[in-house]
Each structure stands twice: as C-alpha cells, then as structure tokens.
Amino acid sequence: MSISVSNPTQVRRSQAPGPLVTEAELPPGQHFIDGAFRPGTSGPVTQVIDPCTGAPIATVASGTVEEVDAAVAAALAAQGEWGRMVPKERSEILHRIADRLAENADLLTRLESANTGKPAMVAEDEVAGTIDTFRFMAGALRATTSMAAGEYAEGHLSLILREPLGVVGVVTPWNYPLLMGAWKVAPILAAGNSIVLKPSEQTPLTTLKFAELVADLLPAGVFNVVTGRGSVVGQRLSEHPDVAMIALTGSVGSGQAVARGAAESLKRVHLELGGKAPVVVFADADLAAAAESLRAAGYWNSGQECGAACRVLVHESVAAEFTELLVKEVSTLVVGEPGAGKDVEIGPLNSKDHYERVLGYLERAKAAGIRAAVGGSALEGPGYFVAPTVLVDVPDGAECSREEIFGPVVTVETFSDEAEAIARANDVPFGLAASVWTEDARRSHDVASRIDAGTVWVNSHLVLANEVPWGGFKGSGYGRDLSIYALDDYSRTKHVMHRQGH
Ligand code: NAD
C-alpha cells in the first residue's frame, strides 16, 4: 500500500452519483441447485446490509434442511462423472472459470465492496487472488504425485490411487467472501469432488454472482449454493450422511459446532478458524521496516483478517522508538467508503454486531487502564467505522492481547529476552500465523521454528502465495488451504495390491 497523509479520525465519504452496483448487476437472491437458481421454499429471507450506511441492498433466501438435502442429492448425482473426468478436462474447466472471473473482475470487485464496505484496493486484491487460486489448482491437479507403484510385498504389486471424497460441504465467512470460497471450491473441484456451499448470511452476493457466472461452465449439480443461517444450513451440511467432508472457515465456535455435527457420520472435517498473530520485534530489527509493514498487515481489510499482525511483542529497549514509528504510520491511514477514491485503505467493519463487539473490546481495554496511542473509538457518521487503533501499556494477559478482536486494533506489549518472547507468543489459544523481526540469522531460524503457528514470516507479515499452504495449529483448526496440500486434504488414498503371475 502506498502511504498518503490523511486524517484517520474522519471518514471520507463517496461523492459518486450512484451506488457501486446497479440492481441489474445483483445476482438472484436464491439458492443455486443442480445448475439453476431456485427460490427458497420457506418464507424468511435475509437482508443484506451495506456496512457504510446500514441500509439494505438486497434480500436473499434463508435456506431450510429440505433445500440442503436437495442440493446434496444433486451434488451426489453429479459427482461420479465429474470425478471420472481425466485431469486435463477438469483443468480446462477450471481455467475457463478463471477466465470468466477475469472478464468480470470489475463487477466482482464492486459487488464485494458494496456488500462488505471494503476499499477498492482490498476488493481488487481479493478478486485477483480468487482468479489465481483457480489457475493454480487448474495446473496443480495435472501434476499430482504419490509413492511409486512397486513390489513391496513379495509377489505383489502395489498401486496407490488418489480418489475424490464425494460431496464436500463448504461453509464460508464474511471477511473475504469470494476468496475464502475460492480457496475451498478450486481444490475441491480440482480433486474431483462436488460441492454444496453455504456463504455467510451477511455476505452472500459475490458467491451467488460466482454461481451465475460459471453456471454454463460446470455440469449441473457439481457446484451448488444454499444461502441461509449457520445453525440451519451449515448444521445440516455437517450432519448430512451423504456429505463426505465438511470444510469451514470461520470462528472457533462455528468450528466446534461443525465438528460436533460431523461426529455422528464420522465425516472428515477441515477447519480454518481464528487467529491472534504475534509480531515479535527484537532490538536488532529494522524498526522502520517493521512499522511500515504493520501499517498494512495489521490493518488490511480493517483488521478483519485471520492472519492480521495484531499482537506486537517488542523488546523493551526499543519499545518506545518502535511504538512512535508505528503510531506515525497508522496515523496516515486513509479511512473511507469504497466509492471515495482508489487510495482509501480502511473501510467499515462488516456488520453492526461486529462493530459493537470491537467497540466493546476498546471500552474494556480503556477501563483496564490501557491507552490508545492513536484511535480507540468509533468514527462519526453513518456506518460501522472504527478508527485505526494502537493500544499501548498492555499488560501480559490482557483481554485485548489474547482474544481475536478482528478489527483495526493492534496491541503493543514488551518482553525482556528471547525465551520470554517465544513463551508469550505461544501463550494464546490460537496458532495460525506469526512474524519474527530480527537481523540475526540464528535467531530468525530458532524463534520461527519454536513458534506454534502454521505460517511464520521472517521480516515480513501477511504475504501469501497459492503455491504454499495456509492453515493453523491449536485453536486455529486443522487442514490446509492453498497449495498441493489442499489437494491432498480433499482426496483419499487407496492402495490396490495385485498378486503377480504364479
Ligand atoms: P462465523 O463463525 O460467525 O461464521 C462463519 C460461517 O459459519 C458462516 O457462514 C456462518 O453462518 C457459519 N456457521 C455459524 N454457525 C454454524 C454452525 N453451527 N454450523 C455450521 N456453520 C455455522 O465467522 P465469521 O464471523 O463469518 O468470520 C470470522 C472468523 O473467521 C474469524 O474468527 C476469523 O479468524 C475466521 N477466519 C479464518 C480464516 C483462516 O484461514 N483461518 C480465514 C478467514 C476468517
């Protein structure tokens, strides 16, 4: 992100004459089952809200158990043929999906911004990542490997087959609705499975638009969407006996609910849950580079980011200098509505509930004597905007430095030595991501290898690529998104052994 000077205590409002998307550009607010949009059978609908204003922008069907069952039946019927296609055929379809998304990138970007309030630069990055995920998986599915066929038991030839699982249920969150969907959909389809996906009830629009855009590219039933509530649609997917695996990206509570639901049928579970990424800054680090990196990594997507660099642990000898640099960086963030210019960096929080949740953390921190060196409160005017915040004087064990706030809030704590830094970095229930900042090669390796996190960056934070895996340890879940590891997760291994000639 480029640095531009602004006042982070004011929301820059859009001067554009109309909305980001027209009525005609919205997808149908219906389920997508067996290759076609279908209205919900029950009365209730969900209102989709613009978080910049609190005004409704669309209504979407709220699914029932019967609708999930219909989608699973369609997915089951379609999976066999899809799974038997040779890799080249499935690969070509995934490439065509990527092409179709690229042709519609501008619309998808505007739609994602309209539904989530995220700035254009964040939505553009999300759409680009989505396209690249499909392209990577289209290539990777043609280059899978496994152990060599051979005679491992005397007189017997062993072959390892990689097979699809069947129907995979997918449940996605609201922070990156399209991208989190793509991280599941691309490898699941690549591995030959069919899908029933439930997007977040708050942000279903780009998922429904995706279904509309790719409807003619995929055989009917291979990809289905049922919109609605987690406790109904998500729960039924996790319990359904014909669903072979349930993959969820979301909060710890939803992960636990899904795992419980899956237990009865012993289906596989894939969970990408919350995070509270420690950022360990040693005295020898390039402090200016760390502060500049945190400007993006701590606040990207308004901090609604599971890998956000939100928990700084800085050596006591450089804490004052580093905090000053960080506050200076954060003070230049441009807050605004997505239509207020390409340079807007921070949008609103995604919903009223979440906004109130984040403000609750800030109020409790203040009551506990923790100081906001910048920000610390809501911003004036309509919508769910919270000022980019740095909390300092944070004591060990404070709520704001242990729990996932999921907002534009970075906490700063201090440590005295390396052992303490590692112990404190690991002393949270999460284990998704972390970063280590030092110029010392021995330290960068030792500390990175002793931090309990699925991804550890050295002198960087929040840089991702489709070739490398993403996923957590401990309370952040299990299973891997991205890379060939995701293809493994969505496949099963079969050993076929032939007795050879007598
Ligand atoms: P959430 O858990 O509230 O919702 C996620 C999805 O789960 C939604 O579609 C919701 O309807 C569904 N759900 C809720 N209850 C359910 C139930 N009982 N059974 C099945 N599904 C249910 O999470 P959110 O607020 O949408 O997203 C934010 C959370 O997601 C944060 O904790 C964040 O860290 C996490 N996240 C993790 C990653 C990662 O890669 N690890 C990525 C993005 C977000």
Side-chain angles (χ1 to χ4, degrees):
M1 287 194 292
S2 61
I3 297 179
S4 46
V5 177
S6 179
N7 181 351
T9 60
Q10 278 180 2
V11 178
R12 196 197 290 169
R13 300 287 170 178
S14 173
Q15 304 299 321
L20 285 172
V21 287
T22 63
E23 282 278 324
E25 289 172 324
L26 289 172
Q30 302 181 347
H31 310 304
F32 182 77
I33 299 175
D34 206 12
F37 280 98
R38 297 172 200 281
T41 49
S42 69
V45 289
T46 310
Q47 278 206 327
V48 180
I49 304 293
D50 172 0
C52 292
T53 61
I57 47 175
T59 52
V60 167
S62 198
T64 61
V65 166
E66 292 70 33
E67 286 152 356
V68 176
D69 289 357
V72 172
L76 197 61
Q79 190 273 323
E81 205 173 317
W82 175 253
R84 284 190 296 275
M85 277 183 181
V86 293
K88 180 171 184 285
E89 266 183 284
R90 277 205 304 278
S91 170
E92 280 168 1
I93 293 175
L94 292 194
H95 273 303
R96 267 180 241 135
I97 291 176
D99 292 343
R100 186 66 58 82
L101 297 175
E103 286 156 18
N104 292 276
D106 172 61
L107 169 57
L108 288 165
T109 302
R110 287 184 288 110
L111 193 57
E112 197 72 307
S113 285
N115 196 168
T116 60
K118 62 180 64 180
M121 67 168 74
V122 181
E124 277 165 14
D125 188 65
E126 181 175 344
V127 172
T130 297
I131 295 165
D132 192 51
T133 301
F134 278 94
R135 292 219 192 286
F136 172 79
M137 287 299 168
L141 81 94
R142 299 184 68 180
T144 51
T145 54
S146 65
M147 64 180 278
E151 189 174 318
Y152 297 101
E154 197 177 328
H156 289 75
L157 176 69
S158 287
L159 303 173
I160 300 296
L161 303 181
R162 182 193 287 256
E163 298 182 342
L165 299 170
V167 178
V168 180
V170 173
V171 179
T172 55
W174 48 256
N175 63 337
Y176 297 104
L178 185 66
L179 185 67
M180 293 301 98
W183 281 14
K184 308 290 186 217
V185 172
I188 291 170
L189 291 183
N193 306 284
S194 58
I195 295 177
V196 179
L197 188 156
K198 188 205 91 63
S200 165
E201 47 276 60
Q202 292 159 33
T203 55
L205 298 184
T206 46
T207 304
L208 290 171
K209 183 51 84 175
F210 172 86
E212 191 183 2
L213 290 173
V214 306
D216 63 321
L217 302 178
L218 284 166
V222 167
F223 174 73
N224 306 274
V225 180
V226 179
T227 52
R229 289 171 42 206
S231 56
V232 179
V233 178
Q235 190 70 25
R236 178 61 182 158
L237 277 176
S238 61
E239 290 170 357
H240 199 297
D242 290 335
V243 172
M245 183 185 210
I246 180 92
L248 173 135
T249 298
S251 60
V252 172
S254 301
Q256 288 165 331
V258 157
R260 273 194 297 272
E264 187 64 27
S265 57
L266 289 172
K267 61 172 55 67
R268 294 185 189 206
V269 180
H270 188 282
L271 299 175
E272 297 291 353
L273 307 178
K276 187 76 184 175
V279 178
V280 184
V281 183
F282 286 96
D284 67 337
D286 181 338
L287 300 182
E292 190 186 344
S293 172
L294 258 64
R295 180 180 196 274
Y299 299 89
W300 187 252
N301 205 27
S302 303
Q304 302 169 120
E305 158 65 61
C306 48
C310 56
R311 183 175 175 236
V312 172
L313 290 157
V314 56
H315 190 266
E316 57 196 6
S317 66
V318 292
E321 186 187 346
F322 176 73
T323 305
E324 197 184 327
L325 288 165
L326 181 62
V327 167
K328 217 179 248 175
E329 291 285 355
V330 173
S331 305
T332 63
L333 284 165
V334 181
V335 182
E337 298 182 351
K342 287 276 185 190
D343 58 334
V344 171
E345 296 166 295
I346 305 285
L349 297 181
N350 191 253
S351 67
K352 188 161 187 286
D353 280 357
H354 186 51
Y355 166 78
E356 283 168 358
R357 193 178 154 274
V358 171
L359 291 179
Y361 276 108
L362 293 177
E363 277 155 24
R364 288 192 296 281
K366 200 168 156 198
I370 294 166
R371 191 167 58 86
V374 59
S377 59
L379 293 173
E380 272 182 26
Y384 312 132
F385 291 88
V386 170
T389 298
V390 177
L391 295 180
V392 296
D393 305 334
V394 177
D396 188 15
E399 180 198 59
C400 61
S401 72
R402 290 188 60 79
E403 296 188 12
E404 186 182 42
I405 299 177
F406 222 55
V409 181
V410 171
T411 60
V412 181
E413 302 166 72
T414 59
F415 65 86
S416 308
D417 61 36
E418 190 174 307
E420 185 196 351
I422 295 167
R424 298 254 306 277
N426 287 336
D427 188 26
V428 283
F430 301 105
L432 185 61
S435 61
V436 181
W437 295 80
T438 179
E439 298 291 299
D440 180 324
R442 192 275 310 157
R443 179 176 270 160
S444 70
H445 177 75
D446 285 2
V447 177
S449 62
R450 289 172 62 196
I451 288 184
D452 263 342
T455 297
V456 184
W457 291 278
V458 175
N459 296 327
S460 187
H461 199 114
L462 213 57
V463 178
L464 287 94
N466 265 299
E467 289 77 359
V468 284
W470 175 256
F473 300 152
K474 306 198 294 188
S476 295
Y478 41 82
R480 290 294 173 263
D481 282 332
L482 309 179
S483 79
I484 52 167
Y485 294 95
L487 276 181
D488 283 347
D489 282 359
Y490 297 121
S491 309
R492 63 186 191 186
T493 301
K494 180 183 280 178
H495 171 211
V496 179
M497 186 181 251
H498 294 256
R499 186 151 74 95
Q500 304 198 88
H502 309 290

